[in-house]
Amino acid sequence: MDLPAEKWKAHARRRWASLEPGLREQLSLAVPPRDTFLLCLPLFQAADEELLRRLALSNGVGKDPRAALFYKQEGNKRFQEREYAAARVLYSKAVSHNSPEMSLCYANRSAALFHLGQFEDCLEDIDRAQAQGYPDRLQPKILLRKTECLLLLGRLQEAAGVISKVESKIAMDQSLTSTTRQILLRKISQLKVKAHEKESSPLSVPEALSKTQKDLEFWEENGKISSASSSVSLNFNSCKGRHLVATKDILPGENLVKEEAFVSVLSPGKGLLLQDSAETTWDTRVTNGDLHCHRCLKQLLASVPCRGCSYAKYCSKKCAQLAWEHYHSTECPLGALLLTLGVFSHVALRTVLVAGFAEVSSLVKQFHGDDKELYKTEARGKSLDETRDSTAGMEGLSEKAKPLIPGCEDDGQYQGSYQAVFNLLTHAEKHSPEHKFLCSLSIIAICKKLLDTDLTIFSQESCESQSKLKAHVKLSAELSPELKILGEAMLRHMLQLQCNAQAVTAIWESESGDSIVADSEEVRLATALFPVTSLLNHSCDPNTSVTFSGTAVTVRASQPIPRGQEIFHCYGPHRCRMRAAERQQRLLCQYFFECQCQACLDELGSDVTGIVATTDIFCCSSCHASMQGEAVLRCSSGACTLLVGRDYLLHQLWDLQLQVKTALGLLQDNQPNQAVELLMRCRMDAENFLSAEHMLVGEIEDHLAQGYATLGKWQEAAKHLQRSIQIVETRHGPSSVETGHELFKLAQVLFNGFAVSEALCTIQRAETVLSVHCGPQNAQVQELQEMRACLLELPRNLLHRVE
């Protein structure tokens, strides 16, 4: 949720409509963020604050012992049903709330982690349980689990020490029943046998070897642009603004940018209910906030909770402490409000907190001297080729101070600093007045709330004045000079985000039921600002691929880029996903420019209607020729006179999509036979009105492959995946990352079916494609290499075996 909650947006619309016409006109003419912010400041009313307070109540972020008990009990139920992953998530929710039973929650989560094979995390939770006062009577149980973890990790000396400790506790504990004592002693005896076996076996060090693997991706840092390769240079002209250009011939897969986000905020994402969950007082949905670290975005297994709220979770004490020091100590009391106001408001606040008040104040004051002349220039308009960052860096700099390339430091270098973030273009004159009013009210609400929070965000000399102001200012239009500076900067950043925010994504992999073949989808984890990556202009047919690892982005060449050619990134609308007219409309609405990339010019200047038009069309049920027309579609074959209404065909498509969704649910519920039967009916229905290259046809083939793989019918699974790959290749191209992911699935099927020669060929092709887009350290690339190594170790007489 980038923008605020719907009820707050609706309230802001009503407030805007109720303003005097003269005031609306005044706000419409205000261009610099400072003018907009100061005009809106006295308009913020007590009713606005009260509505936000009520809306925020639905985003419970406080700690509640009752919630801890509920989540612990729910976790116990899942654990008893051997649903260890679900139990782990519920125990993590439990430890986010203060409870007298915190030690039990950590101990129970350690048990779930043990069954999931996460032994290091299991050991950490055992230590946490003991630090929280785990009951002495239960110590033998948790210490035996610790011993087993240590043995499985090969830490034999530590395991021996823990066994001695357990034996001592059992000998001294007079409260143990005879039966319990015998069970514990028997378990100790078994663990001693395991320890002896470990000592006798040769040492294996695959983990150590994997850590010493060298990164094969070549990288030479650019001397002028931080986080960029020496293969690119920063150019500027009035038409394209700032942009990156190749300084040499670049090969596919070469790294061009490797950048850490200046700031990122985890997106809550769509909440997923755990299977068989019923509606309860406490939220049992699983969101990004439960699955990823709120600082580094690393996937969570054993989360460390925030000391002050139940929402923020971290992968380690270090991440929790760094977040608290840099921004979360201020954000923590505002948690419910920030969830109500949306991610963009949160990013705007975190940006100024990370930068620090001194840096923010310096740039805001520097900007005030030159903004009038700047906005006069902007009002005259720009070229249609202008992108989301075309004049970034020109804001706030006098002619005397301007370097050769706008936004660079005094020494000519472009750094991923707050100065670079501050100078990203706001397009303030192009946002609607109503949108700026909504953003302003949201930022003012944060500023009002900051009056009641920690004052360490201000410089030392400003804290005293803030303290005095808090004593008598509770709700009024008046804010201190410091808060006005922060408010102006935050509004600036919120307006920048529409054109400059980067969605941090990850490939989420799951298994459908018992299928070995992975099902994957791209999910949005966070919203971030990457100052260097923001230099890339848009193309609907880009020459780069973008991947993320936590809060770091890597931009790689996806095709050969000759020297002198511009480096392009796709902002979302891609030629493979929509027609040129729709792409241009979307880019104009969000990024305020009309795309004139080569893909758009080629498509609009010819009779070719684009890839989408040929792969998402309806076909004649009689002769299978394409159907053409608007409200009523006519068969394109001269020998056929079939006429069908578009609405009728769209209803058929919608019904077919529902059936495919039902079949996918059957796969996830371990009912592959029923799923395959339904999907085969869907396939037959699709043949009657969809083109053979329609993406829904490809989805059906993909799900059929999963179903047959679950049943161990590898030849059938491979056949359907090959059909799916043909459709993906038609739409995205044989070297696309989408084709790479499908080839990875086919490699899995052929590997498990012992189709050795076919598997080796597919592995080679999948590895080549995925290495270009994702790099050699990508998890799928690593798995492909492991599959190849395994197959090459097989006897030669198995090379042509299929099943």
Side-chain angles (χ1 to χ4, degrees):
M1 185 178 68
D2 286 333
L3 292 174
E6 285 300 325
K7 289 184 178 179
W8 175 243
K9 287 194 287 186
H11 174 78
R13 283 195 296 270
R14 291 192 296 270
R15 288 289 321 280
W16 172 259
S18 68
L19 295 177
E20 293 291 334
L23 184 54
R24 283 206 303 270
E25 182 179 2
Q26 194 177 2
L27 285 166
S28 299
L29 294 174
V31 176
R34 175 180 59 171
D35 293 355
T36 304
F37 181 78
L38 293 178
L39 282 169
C40 290
L41 187 55
L43 301 178
F44 189 82
Q45 301 174 352
D48 303 326
E49 189 167 43
E50 175 58 22
L51 174 62
L52 283 172
R53 186 192 67 79
R54 286 189 278 109
L55 292 175
L57 290 175
S58 62
N59 297 314
V61 297
K63 292 181 180 288
D64 191 329
R66 296 172 300 166
L69 179 61
F70 168 79
Y71 289 126
K72 173 176 164 287
Q73 291 172 342
E74 288 296 304
N76 290 345
K77 291 176 186 177
R78 299 297 177 140
F79 188 90
Q80 293 300 322
E81 294 166 3
R82 299 187 179 184
E83 297 176 17
Y84 302 120
R88 175 188 61 79
V89 172
L90 289 164
Y91 290 139
S92 292
K93 284 179 173 286
V95 301
S96 293
H97 294 268
N98 289 331
S99 164
E101 296 188 326
M102 285 287 283
S103 65
L104 297 177
C105 295
Y106 279 122
N108 290 0
R109 191 172 70 178
S110 77
L113 290 165
F114 179 83
H115 285 284
L116 291 168
Q118 304 296 334
F119 304 123
E120 291 283 5
D121 292 285
C122 176
L123 288 172
E124 289 183 11
D125 263 3
I126 289 171
D127 291 341
R128 292 176 184 130
Q130 292 179 315
Q132 290 286 337
Y134 191 66
D136 195 61
R137 60 184 174 81
L138 299 176
Q139 286 288 339
K141 179 181 177 182
I142 202 171
L143 289 174
L144 288 175
R145 186 181 304 142
K146 183 174 185 177
T147 302
E148 199 155 1
C149 282
L150 292 169
L151 288 174
L152 289 165
L153 292 169
R155 293 155 62 176
L156 307 184
Q157 192 170 358
E158 291 177 70
V162 177
I163 288 177
S164 298
K165 189 175 180 180
V166 177
E167 288 177 321
S168 176
K169 280 188 173 292
I170 293 173
M172 295 174 62
D173 193 345
Q174 301 301 317
S175 64
L176 291 175
T177 65
S178 176
T179 303
T180 303
R181 191 182 302 275
Q182 289 302 316
I183 291 172
L184 292 173
L185 291 173
R186 191 179 307 119
K187 181 69 175 176
I188 290 173
S189 179
Q190 292 170 352
L191 290 175
K192 285 182 175 180
V193 171
K194 284 186 180 180
H196 179 71
E197 290 173 351
K198 285 277 186 180
E199 287 175 346
S200 304
S201 61
L203 289 175
S204 176
V205 288
E207 188 68 23
L209 291 175
S210 67
K211 288 181 179 178
T212 61
Q213 291 178 344
K214 293 183 178 180
D215 187 354
L216 300 178
E217 298 175 273
F218 174 75
W219 179 259
E220 183 180 335
E221 187 83 22
N222 193 301
K224 290 288 187 180
I225 315 166
S226 69
S227 306
S229 162
S230 59
S231 303
V232 301
S233 64
L234 176 59
N235 288 17
F236 175 83
N237 61 47
S238 59
C239 178
K240 294 182 177 181
R242 298 180 301 179
H243 56 284
L244 296 181
V245 174
T247 58
K248 68 178 187 64
D249 292 342
I250 296 172
L251 298 174
E254 185 174 334
N255 287 332
L256 304 178
V257 176
K258 293 197 295 187
E259 183 181 15
E260 189 70 31
F262 180 82
V263 68
S264 65
V265 170
L266 192 71
S267 300
K270 182 180 177 181
L272 300 175
L273 277 174
L274 294 171
Q275 191 175 358
D276 300 326
S277 291
E279 283 201 23
T280 63
T281 305
W282 311 107
D283 192 355
T284 56
R285 292 176 301 170
V286 179
T287 68
N288 285 338
D290 299 306
L291 301 176
H292 294 271
C293 176
H294 287 224
R295 179 180 175 271
C296 71
L297 305 184
K298 178 182 176 181
Q299 190 169 357
L300 290 176
L301 289 171
S303 60
V304 176
C306 166
R307 68 182 75 170
C309 68
S310 62
Y311 177 66
K313 303 174 183 70
Y314 303 97
C315 62
S316 64
K317 283 185 177 180
K318 181 181 179 181
C319 261
Q321 185 62 31
L322 288 172
W324 186 265
E325 291 172 356
H326 292 160
Y327 50 80
H328 192 63
S329 59
T330 300
E331 293 178 354
C332 191
L334 279 64
L337 175 65
L338 293 173
L339 286 171
T340 303
L341 293 178
V343 173
F344 277 6
S345 296
H346 197 163
V347 173
L349 172 61
R350 187 169 292 181
T351 300
V352 298
L353 294 177
V354 169
F357 180 75
E359 183 73 8
V360 173
S361 177
S362 172
L363 285 169
V364 167
K365 290 175 180 177
Q366 179 184 351
F367 172 75
H368 286 169
D370 302 286
D371 57 357
K372 290 182 181 179
E373 183 60 34
L374 171 71
Y375 284 108
K376 285 180 184 177
T377 303
E378 287 183 350
R380 289 196 289 267
K382 301 294 177 187
S383 162
L384 291 177
D385 278 343
E386 175 182 293
T387 65
R388 59 178 175 177
D389 189 25
S390 61
T391 58
M394 297 189 71
E395 299 179 346
L397 294 174
S398 65
E399 285 296 327
K400 182 181 286 188
K402 283 179 186 176
L404 183 63
I405 303 291
C408 292
E409 305 284 340
D410 293 339
D411 60 1
Q413 290 194 341
Y414 185 87
Q415 302 289 338
S417 62
Y418 180 65
Q419 178 174 322
V421 171
F422 187 87
N423 284 309
L424 294 173
L425 196 63
T426 63
H427 288 293
E429 78 287 358
K430 296 177 182 177
H431 289 283
S432 71
E434 187 177 324
H435 176 71
K436 289 193 287 185
F437 182 69
L438 168 66
C439 294
S440 297
L441 289 185
S442 300
I443 295 302
I444 293 167
I446 293 175
C447 290
K448 296 284 187 180
K449 197 71 175 176
L450 286 174
L451 285 170
D452 302 320
T453 60
D454 188 1
L455 301 177
T456 56
I457 55 173
F458 301 105
S459 58
Q460 193 63 40
E461 60 271 18
S462 301
C463 287
E464 185 178 347
S465 63
Q466 284 297 313
S467 298
K468 291 178 181 178
L469 187 66
K470 281 178 63 178
H472 65 275
V473 176
K474 289 299 179 184
L475 182 64
S476 71
E478 185 181 356
L479 290 178
S480 68
E482 290 84 1
L483 276 174
K484 287 178 181 178
I485 288 172
L486 286 180
E488 176 188 341
M490 284 191 282
L491 178 58
R492 179 186 189 85
H493 297 317
M494 195 167 180
L495 295 176
Q496 289 171 335
L497 286 167
Q498 179 167 325
C499 298
N500 292 283
Q502 179 71 53
V504 178
T505 60
I507 298 297
W508 179 77
E509 292 186 359
S510 65
E511 293 182 355
S512 296
D514 293 329
S515 176
I516 296 175
V517 180
D519 186 23
S520 62
E521 63 174 320
E522 188 175 61
V523 294
R524 180 173 183 165
L525 296 185
T527 299
L529 281 171
F530 295 96
V532 176
T533 304
S534 291
L535 295 171
L536 297 174
N537 281 339
H538 167 81
S539 170
C540 298
D541 187 18
N543 51 18
T544 61
S545 283
V546 174
T547 56
F548 299 91
S549 177
T551 55
V553 64
T554 301
V555 181
R556 295 180 177 87
S558 60
Q559 56 187 259
I561 303 175
R563 179 182 178 181
Q565 187 177 97
E566 185 174 353
I567 312 298
F568 289 109
H569 168 44
C570 179
Y571 293 179
H574 195 285
R575 71 181 186 91
C576 292
R577 290 190 282 271
M578 58 188 75
R579 296 174 177 84
E582 183 182 356
R583 297 197 304 267
Q584 288 187 330
Q585 179 61 31
R586 290 200 179 190
L587 290 164
L588 185 61
C589 288
Q590 181 170 352
Y591 297 107
F592 308 116
F593 72 92
E594 183 178 332
C595 184
Q596 296 291 316
C597 73
Q598 197 60 49
C600 284
L601 293 176
D602 291 346
E603 185 175 331
L604 293 171
S606 68
D607 295 331
V608 178
T609 55
I611 296 172
V612 176
T614 60
T615 57
D616 275 355
I617 59 175
F618 298 111
C619 72
C620 175
S621 58
S622 300
C623 65
H624 297 291
S626 63
M627 301 291 289
Q628 298 178 346
E630 295 299 328
V632 177
L633 281 74
R634 180 189 302 273
C635 179
S636 60
S637 170
C640 185
T641 59
L642 182 68
L643 295 174
V644 184
R646 180 177 291 277
D647 288 344
Y648 173 76
L649 291 174
L650 288 173
H651 181 77
Q652 273 193 297
L653 178 61
W654 180 76
D655 185 62
L656 183 59
Q657 289 170 330
L658 285 180
Q659 292 185 64
V660 172
K661 186 177 180 180
T662 301
L664 185 57
L666 291 171
L667 278 173
Q668 293 169 342
D669 291 340
N670 296 321
Q671 301 181 59
N673 285 303
Q674 296 91 321
V676 167
E677 184 179 340
L678 178 55
L679 286 166
M680 289 301 291
R681 291 201 302 268
C682 291
R683 190 168 179 264
M684 292 177 62
D685 292 341
E687 289 174 353
N688 289 327
F689 72 104
L690 295 180
S691 67
E693 293 81 24
H694 197 286
M695 285 306 294
L696 184 58
V697 176
E699 288 179 31
I700 293 170
E701 298 289 355
D702 191 83
H703 295 328
L704 277 168
Q706 292 177 42
Y708 280 117
T710 304
L711 296 168
K713 298 182 178 181
W714 306 110
Q715 281 184 316
E716 286 294 319
K719 180 176 67 177
H720 288 288
L721 265 178
Q722 285 162 347
R723 290 173 182 163
S724 174
I725 289 171
Q726 290 174 355
I727 295 170
V728 173
E729 284 183 331
T730 300
R731 186 174 183 121
H732 298 285
S735 300
S736 66
V737 67
E738 291 83 2
T739 298
H741 291 312
E742 288 298 301
L743 287 168
F744 174 75
K745 295 178 186 179
L746 180 58
Q748 288 179 310
V749 166
L750 295 170
F751 175 84
N752 285 285
F754 281 93
V756 180
S757 57
E758 295 95 325
L760 287 170
C761 291
T762 305
I763 287 168
Q764 179 61 43
R765 186 182 168 198
E767 184 182 355
T768 300
V769 173
L770 290 174
S771 293
V772 166
H773 294 280
C774 308
Q777 302 305 314
N778 173 261
Q780 289 187 343
V781 173
Q782 296 288 308
E783 186 173 339
L784 288 166
Q785 293 171 352
E786 290 171 5
M787 284 193 282
R788 179 196 291 111
C790 184
L791 291 174
L792 292 175
E793 291 177 359
L794 293 174
R796 288 184 175 274
N797 61 350
L798 293 177
L799 285 178
H800 300 287
R801 180 180 170 186
V802 178
E803 282 191 273

